[in-house]
C-alpha cells in the first residue's frame, strides 16, 4: 500500500514558510510523506540556519526551485517577486510531480497543499488529478476580507484595482471586528504599483479557493469565533506556531541565538522588554536610532532582535555610545527561538510588528504587547490585539523615545507571572 504523499509549497517569506513547515511536520508524524518546495534562495537560507538539533523528520524531503530573480535582486519587493515566480515556478512544479510519480521506488504525490500566496499551484494539482488544498497562514479574517472583495466592489468601498474610495469603518457582519479600509492588507505597501499587484494576488486567491477541496486556516475558533461562524468552509487548524510545545521551529531563515535564553534566566521575573520585528521590517536610520534611544530610556533590561538586513544602513547603526551606556542591561541578537522567549518568565512585554505568527505566540503566552505594525495584515492584527483581545500595553504609529520610555509605567510587575501560570 502506497504511503500518502503531499507536495507543500509556501509563499517565499518566513512568515509563510515556517507555519507550513510546522503543518508538514505534523502531517509527517502521521506517516505521510511530504515534498516541501522552497525557492532556491530560501532553501539555502533554511539549510544554512539549521542547528545540529534540528530535525525535519524522515517523512519530509526538501526540494527547491528558482524564483526567476537574479541572486542579487531584492526579495523584499513582493510585487516583483510574485510576478517573477509566476513566470518560472509552475513549470518546475510540474517537473517535480512528473519525476516523483514516474519513479518506481517512490510513492506518487496525491495531494498539493499550496499557500494562498501561490494558489496557482492548485491549478497544477487539478491538472494532475491531485487533491487541491489551500493553506492560509494569517488570521482567517484576512481571508474573509479577500472573499468579501466582490461585495466591497458592489458597495463602492473599493475600485476595481483595489484602490480605496474613501477611508471608512465597516463590519463584514454584526459579530465581526470593525474593519478600517486603511488597513486592507493589499493597500499598505507604500506604492500604488505594488498595492495593485498584491490586490491582484488577493483576487486570484479567491479564484483558487474555489478549486480547493479544503481551506486550512492557521488559526483557532477561540481566537476568531465570528469569522468561522460566518465562513464555515474555513477549517481552523492552528495557530500552528503557538501550539508547538517544544518551541523548535525548523524552516527559519537565520540561525537562532539560544544563548539569549541563558541571559533571560539571569533576569528578574517580568522585567525584560522583548523587541522583535519579524523577517521583513526595514528601518531607516532615524527610526532605528529612535528605537534604540527609547529602549535606553526605559532603564529596563531588554532583548532586541536586530537582523543583519534590518536597516538600510550597514555601518554604525546604533547611536554613538549606545552599547557602552546600556552595558549588560540590553542584549542584541540576530534571531531568537521566539516561542521559548515569549514563554520565558522574565519577559514583561513584547514590542512587536504584529505579524500573525508573533501575534499568536505572544497572545498564547499571555504577554502584553506594544504594537508597531509595518505593513500588510499586521495593521489588522493590531486591531485584534488592541480592541478585541485587549492584550496591549500601548499601540503606536510613530515611534519616539519618549513613547517607549513612558510605557514603562504600565508594564506589569512580577505578579503577572503568576497570572500567566494560572491561565
Amino acid at each position: 500500500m502506497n504511503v500518502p504523499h503531499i507536495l507543500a509549497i509556501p509563499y517565499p517569506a518566513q512568515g509563510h514558510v515556517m507555519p507550513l513547515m510546522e503543518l508538514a511536520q505534523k502531517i509527517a508524524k502521521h506517516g505521510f510523506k511530504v515534498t516541501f518546495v522552497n525557492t532556491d534562495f530560501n532553501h539555502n537560507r533554511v539549510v544554512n540556519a539549521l542547528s545540529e538539533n534540528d530535525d525535519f523528520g524522515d517523512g519530509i524531503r526538501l526540494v527547491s526551485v528558482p524564483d526567476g530573480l537574479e541572486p542579487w535582486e531584492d526579495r523584499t519587493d513582493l510585487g516583483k517577486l510574485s510576478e517573477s515566480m509566476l513566470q518560472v515556478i509552475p513549470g518546475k512544479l510540474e517537473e517535480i510531480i512528473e519525476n516523483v510519480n514516474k519513479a518506481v521506488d517512490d510513492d506518487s504525490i496525491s495531494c498539493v497543499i499550496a499557500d494562498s500566496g501561490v494558489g496557482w499551484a492548485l491549478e497544477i494539482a487539478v491538472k494532475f488529478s491531485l487533491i487541491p488544498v489551500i493553506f492560509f497562514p494569517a488570521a482567517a479574517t484576512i481571508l474573509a476580507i479577500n472573499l468579501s472583495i466582490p461585495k466591497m466592489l458592489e458597495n463602492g468601498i473599493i475600485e476595481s484595482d483595489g484602490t480605496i474610495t474613501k477611508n471608512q469603518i465597516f463590519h463584514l457582519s454584526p459579530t465581526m471586528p470593525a474593519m478600517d479600509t486603511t488597513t486592507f492588507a493589499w493597500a499598505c505597501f507604500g506604492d500604488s504599483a505594488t498595492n495593485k499587484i498584491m490586490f491582484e494576488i488577493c483576487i486570484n486567491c479567491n479564484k483558487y479557493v474555489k478549486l480547493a477541496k479544503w481551506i486550512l486556516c492557521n488559526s483557532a475558533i477561540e481566537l476568531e469565533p465570528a469569522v468561522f461562524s460566518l465562513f464555515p468552509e474555513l477549517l481552523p487548524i492552528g495557530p500552528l506556531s503557538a501550539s508547538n510545545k517544544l518551541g523548535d521551529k525548523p524552516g527559519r531563515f537565520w540561525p537562532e541565538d539560544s544563548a539569549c535564553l541563558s541571559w533571560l534566566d539571569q533576569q528578574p521575573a517580568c522585567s525584560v522588554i522583548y523587541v522583535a520585528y519579524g523577517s521583513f521590517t526595514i528601518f531607516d536610520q532615524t527610526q532605528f536610532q529612535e528605537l534604540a534611544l527609547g529602549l535606553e530610556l526605559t532603564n529596563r533590561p531588554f532583548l532586541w532582535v536586530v537582523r543583519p538586513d534590518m536597516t538600510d544602513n550597514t555601518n554604525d547603526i546604533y547611536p554613538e555610545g549606545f552599547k557602552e551606556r546600556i552595558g549588560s542591561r540590553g542584549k542584541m541578537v540576530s534571531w531568537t527561538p521566539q516561542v521559548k522567549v515569549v514563554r520565558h518568565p522574565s519577559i514583561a512585554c513584547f514590542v512587536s510588528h504584529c505579524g500573525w505568527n508573533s501575534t499568536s505566540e505572544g497572545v498564547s503566552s499571555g504577554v502584553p504587547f506594544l504594537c508597531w505594525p509595518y505593513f500588510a495584515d499586521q495593521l489588522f492584527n493590531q486591531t485584534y490585539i488592541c480592541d478585541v483581545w485587549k492584550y496591549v500595553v500601548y499601540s503606536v504609529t510613530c515611534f519616539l523615545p519618549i513613547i517607549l520610555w513612558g510605557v514603562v509605567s504600565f508594564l506589569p510587575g512580577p505578579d503577572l507571572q503568576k497570572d500567566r501560570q494560572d491561565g
Side-chain angles (χ1 to χ4, degrees):
M1 180 177 179
N2 288 345
V3 173
H5 191 162
I6 293 167
L7 183 144
I9 176 169
Y11 186 81
Q14 182 160 267
H16 294 247
V17 172
M18 294 186 72
L20 187 55
M21 177 60 72
E22 301 222 30
L23 176 59
Q25 289 180 305
K26 292 179 184 296
I27 290 171
K29 287 180 180 178
H30 287 277
F32 289 33
K33 286 187 175 181
V34 180
T35 294
F36 198 94
V37 184
N38 271 314
T39 61
D40 292 338
F41 184 82
N42 284 343
H43 174 81
N44 291 333
R45 298 169 85 184
V46 168
V47 171
N48 291 335
L50 291 175
S51 72
E52 59 182 16
N53 296 322
D54 286 326
D55 181 14
F56 285 102
D58 295 335
I60 298 178
R61 181 169 69 104
L62 303 181
V63 299
S64 68
V65 292
D67 60 16
L69 297 178
E70 297 296 337
W72 59 85
E73 291 190 85
D74 182 11
R75 266 96 181 156
T76 64
D77 185 339
L78 298 183
K80 183 177 180 180
L81 175 62
S82 298
E83 289 190 323
S84 175
M85 289 165 51
L86 191 54
Q87 301 302 314
V88 177
I89 296 182
K92 297 296 182 181
L93 280 187
E94 292 191 12
E95 290 180 13
I96 291 172
I97 294 171
E98 289 172 344
N99 290 336
V100 170
N101 288 0
K102 72 181 180 183
V104 177
D105 59 344
D106 205 351
D107 294 290
S108 297
I109 292 172
S110 55
C111 172
V112 172
I113 301 180
D115 183 289
S116 58
V118 290
W120 39 260
L122 295 193
E123 292 183 330
I124 298 172
V126 171
K127 177 180 178 179
F128 283 85
S129 299
L130 310 177
I131 298 171
V133 178
I134 204 158
F135 173 70
F136 196 76
T141 297
I142 303 299
L143 179 55
I145 293 173
N146 290 355
L147 296 174
S148 301
I149 286 175
K151 184 179 293 186
M152 289 190 283
L153 286 167
E154 181 182 329
N155 293 336
I157 295 173
I158 58 176
E159 297 178 1
S160 59
D161 62 357
T163 301
I164 300 165
T165 56
K166 65 176 181 179
N167 296 344
Q168 58 183 302
I169 305 294
F170 70 100
H171 291 78
L172 292 180
S173 79
T175 59
M176 291 282 288
M179 304 290 168
D180 185 341
T181 55
T182 63
T183 67
F184 285 165
W186 66 81
C188 306
F189 288 88
D191 70 275
S192 59
T194 301
N195 288 349
K196 290 176 181 178
I197 292 172
M198 301 313 290
F199 180 71
E200 188 65 25
I201 290 175
C202 293
I203 291 289
N204 288 333
C205 175
N206 289 351
K207 178 178 69 175
Y208 302 131
V209 162
K210 295 177 182 177
L211 297 177
K213 183 172 182 178
W214 295 300
I215 308 167
L216 309 181
C217 292
N218 185 23
S219 187
I221 291 177
E222 293 81 1
L223 289 176
E224 305 182 86
V227 70
F228 288 112
S229 176
L230 186 62
F231 292 88
E233 67 272 26
L234 307 183
L235 303 179
I237 62 165
L240 291 160
S241 181
S243 66
N244 185 330
K245 295 182 178 179
L246 297 178
D248 298 320
K249 298 166 71 67
R252 61 189 176 272
F253 290 176
W254 292 276
E256 292 176 342
D257 183 344
S258 296
C260 68
L261 297 174
S262 298
W263 181 85
L264 288 174
D265 289 341
Q266 301 169 26
Q267 311 307 317
C270 295
S271 66
V272 176
I273 301 169
Y274 176 53
V275 187
Y277 288 93
S279 59
F280 259 100
T281 305
I282 302 295
F283 291 98
D284 62 33
Q285 187 71 356
T286 299
Q287 290 174 317
F288 186 87
Q289 295 207 355
E290 290 286 289
L291 175 54
L293 293 172
L295 290 169
E296 181 181 346
L297 283 171
T298 64
N299 204 32
R300 286 255 190 166
F302 62 86
L303 174 62
W304 185 8
V305 178
V306 182
R307 302 187 326 267
D309 61 348
M310 192 169 180
T311 73
D312 51 11
N313 185 350
T314 58
N315 298 316
D316 301 322
I317 59 176
Y318 296 99
E320 185 177 355
F322 171 75
K323 289 185 176 181
E324 291 75 16
R325 291 192 300 271
I326 63 168
S328 61
R329 177 168 64 85
K331 187 169 182 63
M332 286 80 76
V333 298
S334 60
W335 203 250
T336 66
Q338 182 162 281
V339 173
K340 295 178 181 178
V341 167
V342 294
R343 292 174 182 171
H344 197 281
S346 70
I347 297 297
C349 80
F350 187 0
V351 183
S352 174
H353 68 309
C354 305
W356 184 244
N357 291 320
S358 292
T359 296
S360 59
E361 290 162 8
V363 168
S364 68
S365 301
V367 178
F369 282 78
L370 193 156
C371 302
W372 189 12
Y374 181 59
F375 69 176
D377 65 313
Q378 298 162 15
L379 286 88
F380 177 77
N381 295 341
Q382 176 187 247
T383 299
Y384 261 149
I385 295 168
C386 299
D387 303 331
V388 180
W389 304 326
K390 302 185 186 301
Y391 260 89
V392 67
V393 176
Y394 208 88
S395 177
V396 297
T397 55
C398 179
F399 210 108
L400 297 172
I402 193 66
I403 292 176
L404 186 54
W405 174 77
V407 84
V408 169
S409 61
F410 295 98
L411 286 180
D415 287 346
L416 174 65
Q417 185 55 31
K418 184 179 186 300
D419 294 339
R420 284 161 63 177
Q421 292 171 345
D422 292 342

